[in-house]
Amino acid sequence: MRAQFVMSEIGVGLRRNLTMTFAVIISVALSLALFGGSLLMRDQVSAMKGYWYDKVNVSIYLCNEADAKDSADAKNGQDAGAAGSAVCSKGAVTAEQKKAIEADLKAMDLVESVRYESTDEAYKHYKERFGHTALASVITPDQMPDSFRVKLKQPEKYKVITSSFAGRDGVQSVEDQHNQLDNLFGMLSALNWAALGIMLIMLVVALLLIVNTVRVSAFSRRRETGIMRLVGASSFYIQVPFIMEAAFAGLIGAVVACGMLGVGQYFVIDHGVALRAKMELINFIGWDSVLTKLPLVLAIGVLMPSLAAFVALRKYLKV
């Protein structure tokens, strides 16, 4: 097959259906940009999980005298609002209970380290963070609970600590920040699924445009294809220019999509808006993640229109 003939036929087809080809390029570019963005969002969520889960500790707050008094009042019905402190109804934590809790924590294979924080240390940290508030002026050290700060080897298994120590004598509560992080990651995952949904809609639109473009192109060149059939041209020989047109339009759309992803990484994350510099607490993905997605975007950009054109030709171009 002569390459010159194929290229000339591709040029003719693109010129005859310029507006529809442009619509195909834009639709493919937007759908693939959303597809690549969804993949990058998934990598970003994974990177954030690994970064934040590794830094979040589980805190086991111990009962103090104030908690024990509130529990006693709640038990006697004197303070209905203190019912939440009923877990400390057996009194403030004792030295033996502290030693037992610390020993049990250190004996767990899941635990990497255990640090005890006294009431004075807790009060000092509270004043550093909330000293400017009105409530800080009435808080006293004896109202602050002492606690164990637990760092885990596998932070995603934090629920094991909660189930093992919640409700234990001397333990007021077991708290961690994973629930808040899970809510954040859940929201990011929902946004990711929303982007995938929009991508699928755009993909369907692009496929329909490709099919219509191929159909119009085949109809406009029905005389040429009829002559080619009469002189004995094979079906593959006749179909290749149409498939190449669709592949070429898809390739341009994929290149545009790759450009959009690169521009987003450069101007939004690294420079321009510079989220990486402004939001140092977030571990943003780098260029390595972007570059690994570009070949996949390019491959889909070529294969998807080619397959759509092939299927359309089977229906609309009887060869």
Side-chain angles (χ1 to χ4, degrees), residues 35-89:
F35 171 71
S38 299
L39 296 179
L40 292 176
M41 176 65 79
R42 185 180 62 182
D43 288 354
Q44 181 63 61
V45 171
S46 298
M48 290 175 64
K49 282 183 177 180
Y51 180 80
W52 283 108
Y53 276 178
D54 187 55
K55 293 183 174 354
V56 173
N57 296 331
V58 177
S59 299
I60 300 179
Y61 293 102
L62 306 177
C63 296
N64 56 20
E65 295 294 341
D67 294 326
K69 183 178 182 302
D70 290 340
S71 296
D73 292 342
K75 187 175 182 179
N76 296 329
Q78 298 178 9
D79 186 1
S85 301
V87 291
C88 295
S89 58

Side-chain angles (χ1 to χ4, degrees), residues 20-318:
M20 294 190 68
T21 301
F22 182 74
V24 169
I25 292 173
I26 296 301
S27 299
V28 170
L30 291 176
S31 60
L32 291 181
L34 286 171
F35 171 71
S38 299
L39 296 179
L40 292 176
M41 176 65 79
R42 185 180 62 182
D43 288 354
Q44 181 63 61
V45 171
S46 298
M48 290 175 64
K49 282 183 177 180
Y51 180 80
W52 283 108
Y53 276 178
D54 187 55
K55 293 183 174 354
V56 173
N57 296 331
V58 177
S59 299
I60 300 179
Y61 293 102
L62 306 177
C63 296
N64 56 20
E65 295 294 341
D67 294 326
K69 183 178 182 302
D70 290 340
S71 296
D73 292 342
K75 187 175 182 179
N76 296 329
Q78 298 178 9
D79 186 1
S85 301
V87 291
C88 295
S89 58
K90 294 184 179 180
V93 64
T94 62
E96 290 76 12
Q97 290 173 339
K98 288 182 183 180
K99 291 181 180 179
I101 294 172
E102 184 175 9
D104 290 344
L105 283 171
K106 291 182 177 180
M108 299 179 71
D109 294 334
L110 181 64
V111 175
E112 180 177 325
S113 63
V114 179
R115 182 176 65 85
Y116 174 73
E117 182 179 84
S118 66
T119 55
D120 291 334
E121 291 175 329
Y123 179 74
K124 178 181 178 181
H125 294 157
Y126 181 85
K127 294 290 288 186
E128 290 175 352
R129 294 185 59 187
F130 305 104
H132 61 283
T133 62
L135 183 61
S137 61
V138 297
I139 294 292
T140 58
D142 61 293
Q143 294 176 299
M144 303 299 297
D146 49 350
S147 61
F148 287 107
R149 307 289 178 162
V150 184
K151 184 176 180 58
L152 305 179
K153 297 177 182 177
Q154 296 175 285
E156 66 276 7
K157 295 184 179 181
Y158 60 91
K159 291 183 179 180
V160 174
I161 302 297
T162 303
S163 60
S164 300
F165 291 92
R168 182 167 171 168
D169 290 347
V171 175
Q172 195 266 344
S173 64
V174 181
E175 296 183 3
D176 58 77
Q177 295 174 321
H178 291 81
N179 290 333
Q180 299 175 8
L181 293 177
D182 287 342
N183 292 334
L184 171 62
F185 296 142
M187 181 188 69
L188 293 176
S189 297
L191 292 175
N192 191 34
W193 282 109
L196 283 174
I198 298 174
M199 181 271 293
L200 289 175
I201 295 174
M202 293 298 300
L203 189 61
V204 171
V205 171
L207 290 174
L208 292 176
L209 282 171
I210 292 168
V211 170
N212 286 331
T213 301
V214 171
R215 181 171 65 174
V216 170
S217 181
F219 181 79
S220 65
R221 282 185 279 176
R222 63 190 183 280
R223 181 179 178 181
E224 292 91 330
T225 55
I227 294 173
M228 293 173 68
R229 285 199 298 269
L230 291 175
V231 298
S234 66
S235 299
F236 180 73
Y237 189 86
I238 298 173
Q239 291 175 353
V240 163
F242 298 99
I243 296 175
M244 292 293 290
E245 289 173 22
F248 183 73
L251 177 61
I252 296 176
V255 171
V256 173
C258 291
M260 294 170 66
L261 295 176
V263 168
Q265 177 70 23
Y266 184 84
F267 287 102
V268 177
I269 305 299
D270 295 333
H271 304 87
V273 180
L275 292 181
R276 191 186 302 278
K278 295 178 179 178
M279 305 176 68
E280 297 180 355
L281 295 179
I282 296 180
N283 183 31
F284 286 101
I285 57 175
W287 278 100
D288 55 337
S289 296
V290 177
L291 295 177
T292 56
K293 305 298 183 296
L294 299 188
L296 179 60
V297 171
L298 290 172
I300 294 176
V302 174
L303 293 176
M304 179 187 69
S306 301
L307 292 175
F310 178 77
V311 173
L313 290 170
R314 294 284 298 232
K315 182 176 181 181
Y316 297 112
L317 187 61
K318 305 300 182 182

